[in-house]
Amino acid sequence: MSKLTDAQQIHDAAAAKSGAAIEAASAARAHAANLRQRVAAGAGDEVTATDLADADHAADHAELVSAGAHQALQGLGQAVQAARADEVCDRIVAELPALGSAVYEALDALASDLAKLVSAASDYDRFAEDAVHVLNTAGRESPRVKIGRFDAPSVDRLPLASCRGWSQLAAALVPVAAALGAHSNDVTVLQNVAQGAPTLPSTN
């Protein structure tokens, strides 16, 4: 059995004992009071002083027993509360590390995917930069090429500009941050960064 079950059983037994002691004390007080009433009603020859003294002593003793049982019950009640608190703490200590490990495992898996993102974004930007150099050397005369004064060059309307990997990641993180309960200011920062993410040409 658990500590809580043991403590609860001991408490319940003590509660029953305390209840019985209260009833016994009440009965002893009632008996002593009844003897006094009988004496006051004229039955003094039937109830002796010894009878009254014995009844009073019995009532006093029963009250002390009841008080002691109640005091013990309070201590056992505290023991039950402590055992219940320990059981809650045990459950937390048992479950929380496993949940923490799950978070770290998810982050490890994410780190691998982020490394792929860094590589893919770097490849994209490197290719776009190299393509611009090639166009400036050999492709400027093609009608398919557009080289603006302020805009990035494009081929068949495909812009040769950075994919802005950080902005792409920020765009993906905005709903994640919101779902994880991020502060609204942090979400706003991500949203502002995400605004710089261009739409990329894709085969999907």
Side-chain angles (χ1 to χ4, degrees), residues 166-167 169-195:
W166 169 230
S167 294
L169 178 59
L173 288 178
V174 168
V176 177
L180 290 175
H183 192 280
S184 60
N185 290 342
D186 296 329
V187 175
T188 299
V189 169
L190 285 174
Q191 289 173 332
N192 290 337
V193 175
Q195 289 178 357

Side-chain angles (χ1 to χ4, degrees), residues 30-65:
H31 176 63
N34 181 60
L35 291 181
R36 292 181 183 281
Q37 289 177 354
R38 288 175 61 190
V39 172
D45 55 340
E46 299 176 2
V47 181
T48 66
T50 300
D51 292 334
L52 287 177
D54 289 344
D56 287 339
H57 290 158
D60 291 342
H61 180 267
E63 288 180 354
L64 289 174
V65 171

Side-chain angles (χ1 to χ4, degrees), residues 13-182:
K17 182 178 180 180
S18 177
I22 292 173
E23 292 181 2
S26 178
R29 286 195 299 269
H31 176 63
N34 181 60
L35 291 181
R36 292 181 183 281
Q37 289 177 354
R38 288 175 61 190
V39 172
D45 55 340
E46 299 176 2
V47 181
T48 66
T50 300
D51 292 334
L52 287 177
D54 289 344
D56 287 339
H57 290 158
D60 291 342
H61 180 267
E63 288 180 354
L64 289 174
V65 171
S66 176
H70 179 69
Q71 185 68 26
L73 184 61
Q74 287 183 324
L76 292 173
Q78 293 173 354
V80 170
Q81 292 176 354
R84 184 174 290 114
D86 282 341
E87 190 170 89
V88 171
C89 291
D90 289 343
R91 185 171 66 252
I92 291 173
V93 170
E95 294 182 11
L96 195 59
L99 295 173
S101 295
V103 172
Y104 281 128
E105 289 173 3
L107 288 173
D108 287 342
L110 180 61
S112 176
D113 290 336
L114 290 177
K116 295 178 183 178
L117 171 62
V118 171
S119 177
S122 298
D123 289 345
Y124 187 100
D125 288 352
R126 189 181 307 108
F127 181 87
E129 184 176 354
D130 291 345
V132 170
H133 290 308
V134 171
L135 287 179
N136 284 332
T137 301
R140 298 174 64 92
E141 303 305 321
S142 173
R144 300 169 62 189
V145 176
K146 298 294 184 183
I147 300 179
R149 186 173 181 181
F150 301 106
D151 296 330
S154 64
V155 177
D156 293 346
R157 297 184 180 181
L158 299 181
L160 297 176
S162 170
C163 69
R164 297 186 179 180
W166 169 230
S167 294
Q168 301 289 348
L169 178 59
L173 288 178
V174 168
V176 177
L180 290 175

